[in-house]
Amino acid sequence: MRAFIFPGQGSQKVGMGAELAAASEAARDVFGEVDEALKQKLSVLMREGPEEELTLTENAQAAIMANAIATVRVLERDFGVSVFEAANCVAGHSLGEYTALASIGAFSLADAARLLKLRGQAMQAAVPVGEGTMAVLLGADIDQARALAAAAAQGEVCEVANDNDPSQVVLSGHTAAIERAVALTKEHGIKRGMILNVSAPFHSSLMAPAAERMAEALSQTPPAALALPLYANVTAAPVTDAEEERALLVEQVTGRVRWRESVLAMRAGGVEHFVELGGKVVGPMVGRIDREAQVTSLVTMQDLEAFAKQVLG
């Protein structure tokens, strides 16, 4: 069995998608459709920068999705391999869950772009700049991270935001609490803690105002039927019901990204091959979660051609 997986924020970089756009009309069509949906030349920003503008949450989320869906469309139109033929299920890391839904037709490309633009704006607006942040813990498992978060909170928010793999957990919350957590890492047997260069405390309870805005938006633009099972971030379990997934997307804004558990659940469900489209971020995490899993990253035309030959024989 094979899972198609999609990256989250942090995988953006200037020049993303440029090679695909130069080589494929399918990719150019995707970027043009996203530009039109957003009434913004996002494709130019992706290709030329500046980096600081591309990194803004409201731009990065839609850009990462657009790049991954362009990869999907090139695989389908140029190499004759559809998601439905090649994958048994899909999953995405944080915003990548929207990409996964778009890849199986549960969201149109335009709707996914507009929802992610709003999601980025809502998350940024939820907490005043400087009041919240995130930190990555290296050499920490989930139990160590939870204990550290509890010790550092001291009446403020300090929560596990991302359980990425057995050696990497991300905390989110009030800036002072996150700084205390980083200072306490050694006492909790954790190798290292680093404050992340992010503009808000994503996937924490501080994002409640953003969750309310997304609940309203998703009530107006709900996902359609899911043609393949999707492993949801907040439950690490397969979802096939569109209404259930709508609720989980709202919960995801404040909830933990259970990526490690999701990969283990997919493995338990029979997935042997994980294919990351549009990045090389979540694939390496899979390799750290289960060394026996086969992992492929599809970024370039050469990557896509080689994968198509493998699938089509």
Side-chain angles (χ1 to χ4, degrees), residues 65-154:
M65 182 279 298
N67 184 56
I69 294 299
T71 309
V72 171
R73 295 281 177 85
V74 172
L75 183 63
E76 291 175 340
R77 281 173 47 182
D78 293 6
F79 296 104
V81 177
S82 79
V83 174
F84 307 107
E85 293 169 334
N88 302 96
C89 61
V90 295
H93 189 282
S94 189
L95 77 90
E97 191 160 321
Y98 285 79
T99 315
L101 289 163
S103 77
I104 59 173
F107 283 131
S108 70
L109 176 59
D111 283 344
R114 286 188 287 261
L115 284 167
L116 285 173
K117 181 81 170 179
L118 174 63
R119 184 176 183 267
Q121 292 170 336
M123 289 175 128
Q124 186 59 66
V127 179
V129 173
E131 288 190 14
T133 192
M134 303 174 78
V136 61
L137 307 178
L138 302 177
D141 62 28
I142 187 65
D143 292 333
Q144 288 173 304
R146 289 167 70 178
L148 173 61
Q154 296 183 20

Side-chain angles (χ1 to χ4, degrees), residues 60-292:
Q61 294 200 26
I64 292 163
M65 182 279 298
N67 184 56
I69 294 299
T71 309
V72 171
R73 295 281 177 85
V74 172
L75 183 63
E76 291 175 340
R77 281 173 47 182
D78 293 6
F79 296 104
V81 177
S82 79
V83 174
F84 307 107
E85 293 169 334
N88 302 96
C89 61
V90 295
H93 189 282
S94 189
L95 77 90
E97 191 160 321
Y98 285 79
T99 315
L101 289 163
S103 77
I104 59 173
F107 283 131
S108 70
L109 176 59
D111 283 344
R114 286 188 287 261
L115 284 167
L116 285 173
K117 181 81 170 179
L118 174 63
R119 184 176 183 267
Q121 292 170 336
M123 289 175 128
Q124 186 59 66
V127 179
V129 173
E131 288 190 14
T133 192
M134 303 174 78
V136 61
L137 307 178
L138 302 177
D141 62 28
I142 187 65
D143 292 333
Q144 288 173 304
R146 289 167 70 178
L148 173 61
Q154 296 183 20
E156 292 186 307
V157 171
C158 187
E159 299 165 351
V160 174
N162 298 17
D163 179 8
N164 284 336
D165 64 46
S167 65
Q168 185 190 102
V169 181
V170 177
L171 299 183
S172 183
H174 286 111
T175 299
I178 297 300
E179 289 173 346
R180 285 193 294 270
V182 169
L184 291 169
T185 50
K186 292 289 194 296
E187 290 181 27
H188 285 259
I190 295 168
K191 182 179 176 182
R192 190 179 178 195
M194 294 185 297
I195 301 289
L196 293 174
N197 183 24
V198 296
S199 53
F202 306 127
H203 297 293
S204 76
S205 54
L206 295 175
M207 288 286 109
E212 292 177 11
R213 288 184 66 184
M214 290 311 297
E216 181 180 354
L218 287 161
S219 70
Q220 297 171 4
T221 310
L226 277 62
L228 287 176
L230 175 140
Y231 280 74
N233 282 189
V234 294
T235 60
V239 182
T240 56
D241 180 74
E243 184 60 25
E244 179 185 358
E245 174 58 14
R246 180 170 72 89
L248 292 175
L249 287 173
V250 176
E251 189 179 341
Q252 188 214 55
V253 178
T254 57
R256 183 187 308 169
V257 177
R258 299 177 181 268
W259 188 250
R260 178 184 60 84
E261 293 176 65
S262 295
V263 170
L264 291 175
M266 284 184 272
R267 287 288 279 154
V271 172
E272 298 175 337
H273 187 191
F274 294 81
V275 182
E276 178 176 2
L277 293 102
K280 294 185 178 179
V281 179
V282 288
M285 290 180 193
V286 172
R288 291 190 290 270
I289 294 164
D290 188 336
R291 293 179 182 177
E292 299 299 316

